[in-house]
Amino acid sequence: MSVSPEQLVAVSKANAEASLKTAADFATTLFTAVERMSSLNLSVARGAFDDTVAFSKAVMAAKDPKEVVALQLGSLPPAVEKGVAYGRSLSEIGGDTKEELTKLAESEAAVLSKNVNTAIEALFKNAPAGSEPAISAVKTAIANATSAYEGASKAAKEVAAAAQATVDKATAVAVESVAKGTKAAASALKAV
């Protein structure tokens, strides 16, 4: 089998264009994630500033130390909830970004696999008689590699989902514990 220079140039150009598009898509996805994180951080900073100003005004308006302690206790649950919400937002941004990058990588792998299979088929069309076992071995190796990649990818997704569920449950328990502790402390303060 002979390959013309024009065919090599065409394949090289197509691969270069595909690689450039993939790189641009990866960069766009990362820039989007950075923009989302920056927006989130600015929003949280603004909220924290506003909360601090409001809390300071409330403390200055307090009539006695009990009122100040009650203000402090009252500020704990919302602060914890805001911290949890911030963590969830970061997790969502990370998850969305990972998902998008995974899709891009899987798409690139599929294109690469298709190109390799097409190239192998083209080579095998002109293979000499008796080379069928070698051709079959190559095809089997490619199929096995693809299957292994898909299995590993599925397992990684399942582990990530299980870990996220565990984090969500632990977060809910922590928030509930803070709320209960704050209520108990507020009740004790009222009794004093």
Side-chain angles (χ1 to χ4, degrees), residues 32-187:
T32 299
V34 169
E35 287 172 349
R36 287 178 64 192
M37 285 178 47
S38 296
S39 177
L40 174 65
N41 287 335
L42 286 173
S43 175
V44 168
R46 177 60 191 233
F49 175 76
D50 292 344
D51 291 348
T52 300
V53 169
F55 181 78
S56 297
K57 287 180 181 179
V59 167
M60 288 189 284
K63 305 284 187 226
D64 60 32
K66 267 181 146 178
E67 209 175 318
V68 172
V69 172
L71 285 169
Q72 289 175 330
L73 289 174
S75 69
L76 285 177
V80 169
E81 289 171 7
K82 288 177 183 178
V84 168
Y86 176 75
R88 283 186 181 137
S89 295
L90 282 179
S91 178
E92 180 183 325
I93 292 168
D96 291 349
T97 303
K98 179 190 136 315
E99 185 178 319
E100 185 63 30
L101 291 175
T102 299
K103 285 179 186 175
L104 289 170
E106 287 173 350
S107 174
E108 183 71 12
V111 168
L112 178 61
S113 177
K114 179 182 171 229
N115 289 346
V116 167
N117 285 334
T118 301
I120 289 173
E121 288 297 323
L123 285 173
F124 291 157
K125 281 182 184 176
N126 297 321
S131 60
E132 289 82 15
I135 293 170
S136 178
V138 170
K139 287 181 179 181
T140 300
I142 291 172
N144 288 342
T146 301
S147 178
Y149 170 78
E150 289 171 356
S153 179
K154 180 181 176 187
K157 288 176 185 177
E158 289 171 358
V159 167
Q164 185 62 46
T166 301
V167 168
D168 288 346
K169 185 173 182 173
T171 300
V173 169
V175 169
E176 185 179 329
S177 295
V178 168
K180 285 179 181 178
T182 302
K183 285 179 185 177
S187 295

